[in-house]
Amino acid sequence: MNLINFHSNDCKNCYKCLRHCNVKAIKILDDKAEIIEDKCIACGHCLVVCPQEARYIKSDMDIVKNLLNSKDKVVATIAPSFAGSFKMDNPYKFVTALKKLGFDAVEETAIGANLITKEYNKFIDENNLENIITTCCPSTNYLIEKYYPSLIKYMMPIVSPMVAHGKMIKKKYGEDVKVVFIGPCISKKYEAIDNSEAIDAVLTFEEVNQWFEHSEISIEDLEASNFDEQSDGEGRSYPIVGSIISQLNINEENSNYNFIKVDGLDKCRELLKELDSGNLNNVCVEINACVGGCIGGPGNPKNQEGLFVRKNKVKKYSSKDVKNIKTQTYEIEGFDLRKKFSSNEVAKPDFSYEQIRNVMSQMGKVEKTDELNCGACGYDTCKEKATAVLAGMSEMTMCVPYMRSKAESMTNIIFEYTPNGIFLIDENLIIKEYNPTAARMFMLKNNAFKEKNVLTLLNDDYIMEAHDKKETIFGKVVKYPQYGLTIRENIIYLEEEKLFMIIMNDISIEEKRKIQFGNMKEETMEAAQKVIEKQMRVAQEIASLLGETTAETKVTLTKLKKLISEEDGDIK
């Protein structure tokens, strides 16, 4: 059941989640991140660091609201780190705020923590373990079960304070009561599923804080209220690193154990590796997935105060004198608080040396010096990255140096083989680079003109205009008769780089063709004019001849008409 993941539409392919995932349980394909639940330990750190807030966390909010609207009694069990997670001058105001939301009773999970301390001590007295590992943190429990199953034998087989308190509430109020855990831990959502007989729903502090905002509940404006049941103080300190082992009935002086407290997954894994290898023995370990312990949980409100401020507030709260306040009236006998941890070992990918080297070669990691192991892709080494590609967890394009090298290679190909001449000059008009085409156009040898003033080669008013105005100029035609060139010139100002890029398109042949075409038109027009003039002369000559012939014809016809008229008169 995927309780946490990423919204693919919001994922921006930055790999930050993978870089912060200690067990590399995130698959990134087609530039989208996806949490692989079988590998995940539900620490939630990847969700916290996501800069795009593309995270998805399954919420029990609707379940809780429906419970509150039902006839069932609903009890909230509150993790003691709440005292540092919310901005309030009196932590007991938080109880009032929850009652306003509709909870019938509000109790401290620290009551369960007190019981767990007793169970730990009882188990240690009854067993002679070579090493001891506390089991209050679900994420570190998953870490051992999935990645260090050989160490399960050292885990104290005891449930967490949340589950213990849930069972206590069920016994006190009856099996029909509904229990909602509220705390800073996302992995508690998974733990609750495995312990549904004790916990009915889980909300993070962040979810409850949003609920307060939507309900327009301001904690600071409320009166303080006592818990319906609360701890005697010792259980409240569980969120602070080292507090669990400090309450055990053993210490380094009266036992063979060395006490170790670790927080943060990097340190946890380092410790577990040393235990797994057999290099570390006779230790009693308190292990916390989050830096700072539960105080640093990923389910804290976004507007929370700093880690050390929260720590001081929890310390102050846990040290309060509660002797005159009603505390745990539970019958604590008869609870089954034992838990069986089982191996869920994640299979390690098994690829041949040739397969891995082939992928690395495709990523440009041919020589040992090519393996930068920069970690930008999210994996610590290039070999791990190649293995992830083979396992279908990653893509070669996630290798930043590889993609940069590929981009630079493409850029170099374009720069080397473009038919346009290209010059790069700085703001002092010094030539920083030019390509082979530009060298051929201006008959330059090697890098002879690098670091020289461009005006010694290109006496160009447009270059000076672009330089003086710090602007881009397009489509100017410039002639260099000494090189037999006519150039269409684009001068682009690269403001960030403080460079000018001059792109020259040789239009000399085009210009020659224009001239030739112009000459041809003039010659054609002259020839046409001569033809027209000749035709006019011929027409005029023809017209003159026609005029003389017509006059003679008229004279002759007139004489003939007169003659015919005279003959007709004689006959009459």
Side-chain angles (χ1 to χ4, degrees), residues 116-341:
I116 293 305
T117 299
K118 294 178 180 180
E119 285 295 310
Y120 277 173
N121 284 322
K122 181 179 178 181
F123 180 79
I124 292 170
D125 290 340
E126 294 175 352
N127 297 272
N128 184 23
L129 296 179
E130 181 182 2
N131 301 295
I132 299 173
I133 302 175
T134 62
T135 53
C136 290
C137 174
S139 288
T140 55
N141 294 343
Y142 298 143
L143 177 65
I144 295 172
E145 289 179 310
K146 292 184 178 186
Y147 295 94
Y148 303 94
S150 66
L151 302 180
I152 290 176
K153 59 189 177 185
Y154 302 134
M155 299 171 71
M156 283 197 272
I158 313 294
V159 298
S160 69
M162 175 190 80
V163 176
H165 191 216
K167 289 186 175 186
M168 295 169 80
I169 292 172
K170 294 278 187 179
K171 186 173 181 179
K172 177 183 178 181
Y173 293 98
E175 292 300 321
D176 291 336
V177 71
K178 304 302 179 184
V179 181
V180 178
F181 173 78
I182 301 175
C185 183
I186 290 174
S187 63
K188 290 295 185 183
K189 292 177 177 284
Y190 287 89
E191 186 185 15
I193 293 173
D194 296 332
N195 296 275
S196 57
E197 77 286 355
I199 303 296
D200 295 283
V202 171
L203 295 177
T204 63
F205 286 150
E206 181 181 0
E207 289 174 303
V208 171
N209 190 56
Q210 291 173 352
W211 195 359
F212 287 155
E213 291 176 355
H214 293 157
S215 302
E216 297 183 347
I217 294 175
S218 173
I219 299 178
E220 282 296 339
D221 296 335
L222 302 176
E223 296 293 329
S225 300
N226 289 329
F227 285 98
D228 292 271
E229 295 283 356
Q230 66 185 39
S231 168
D232 60 6
E234 289 186 354
R236 292 177 171 181
S237 63
Y238 258 50
I240 301 171
V241 175
S243 65
I244 299 175
I245 55 176
S246 69
Q247 297 179 43
L248 299 180
N249 288 336
I250 58 174
N251 57 53
E252 292 180 282
E253 293 180 0
N254 65 13
S255 74
N256 294 324
Y257 295 112
N258 292 314
F259 281 23
I260 299 176
K261 52 186 179 182
V262 291
D263 59 319
L265 283 171
D266 287 337
K267 291 180 181 178
C268 289
R269 295 203 70 179
E270 184 179 352
L271 172 68
L272 294 175
K273 285 178 184 177
E274 292 176 356
L275 274 173
D276 196 25
S277 67
N279 294 328
L280 191 62
N281 291 293
N282 302 116
V283 293
C284 179
V285 177
E286 179 188 317
I287 186 167
N288 301 274
C290 296
V291 174
C294 299
I295 296 171
N300 277 301
K302 293 179 182 178
N303 61 346
Q304 62 186 315
E305 295 176 296
L307 178 65
F308 297 101
V309 172
R310 282 177 276 147
K311 182 178 179 179
N312 283 336
K313 290 173 73 173
V314 173
K315 273 187 174 181
K316 182 178 179 181
Y317 174 69
S318 65
S319 65
K320 281 183 179 295
D321 184 3
V322 293
K323 291 180 180 179
N324 297 323
I325 300 175
K326 183 181 178 183
T327 62
Q328 54 186 95
T329 59
Y330 288 101
E331 282 288 339
I332 62 174
E333 299 297 330
F335 287 105
D336 180 13
L337 300 177
R338 294 299 171 96
K339 174 181 175 61
K340 180 177 175 59
F341 293 99

Side-chain angles (χ1 to χ4, degrees), residues 461-471 473 491 500:
D461 293 338
Y462 297 122
I463 294 176
M464 288 304 302
E465 181 182 348
H467 171 267
D468 293 342
K469 295 181 179 179
K470 297 290 189 296
E471 64 180 17
I473 296 177
I491 306 169
F500 293 88

